[in-house]
Amino acid sequence: MGRARDVVRSAGIWAGIAGVVAVAVPPMVIGYPLVLVDPNRAISDWYFRTLGKALARVNPRWRLHVEGKEKLAHGAPFVLVVNHQSFADLIAMCFLDHPTKYLGKASVFEVPVFGWALRIAGEVPVVRGDRDSGRGALESLGRWLERGVSVALFPEGTRSESGEIGEFKLGAFKLAIAHRRPIVPIVLAGARELLPKGSLVFKREADIHVKVLDPFRTDDLTIDDAPRLAREVRDAMVAAYRDLPS
């Protein structure tokens, strides 16, 4: 009976999420001409963050705890690196209130209406495992950095099966070094428990923690330093993750 109740409750939550998206995304698509006066898509970015917060409130038993977002107030643009736990990660990131362009799976950009809105907002698609796509995506993210807009990547490349932080790919670190921008690690905990990878059934209650760590400077590094930088950032994130409630 407990499992059945969870499934029914989750169906209601998904319906609520679909309703919020159905109502909120079309105005963004219709408002596409605003990019002519808002080339950095700041309005779209704010709109997406507002939408994410609305989605989080679909279930009042999901509680978000944010620590350290004041570290994003000065020194932008940043390259944000985030551990990847679940669908809820992007919703949690909305509570940082920091304009950011994300690297995301290309398949998501093909979803009618929602995918169009992602493109309008300036998010960057990538085909996983396609080297040319990855190279082009990093170039697109680099252009956002040059325009003064922070970017975010999930350096594990996919959601964690166990919840532990996996090994990092080097793209985010090479990007930060090439553009001499600080790396800011963001550690998430609790999102996996809310919605585990491969499941559509939400946990009844969840405490999701978002912690912003101190920036790592890159202005005196070379591309050859990327592996060391990745190890140092991952070590800091693993230590912070273990200190957060799970």
Side-chain angles (χ1 to χ4, degrees), residues 3 18 36 66 73 76 99 112 115 125 166 202 212 218 242 244:
R3 171 69 176 178
L36 298 175
V66 180
F202 286 100
V212 182
T218 67
R242 290 175 178 167
L244 289 175

Side-chain angles (χ1 to χ4, degrees), residues 90-112:
L90 291 176
I91 293 176
M93 291 289 288
C94 292
F95 287 81
L96 293 177
D97 296 316
H98 184 71
T100 307
K101 305 305 178 189
Y102 288 84
L103 182 68
K105 289 193 302 183
S107 58
V108 178
F109 288 73
E110 302 306 318
V111 176

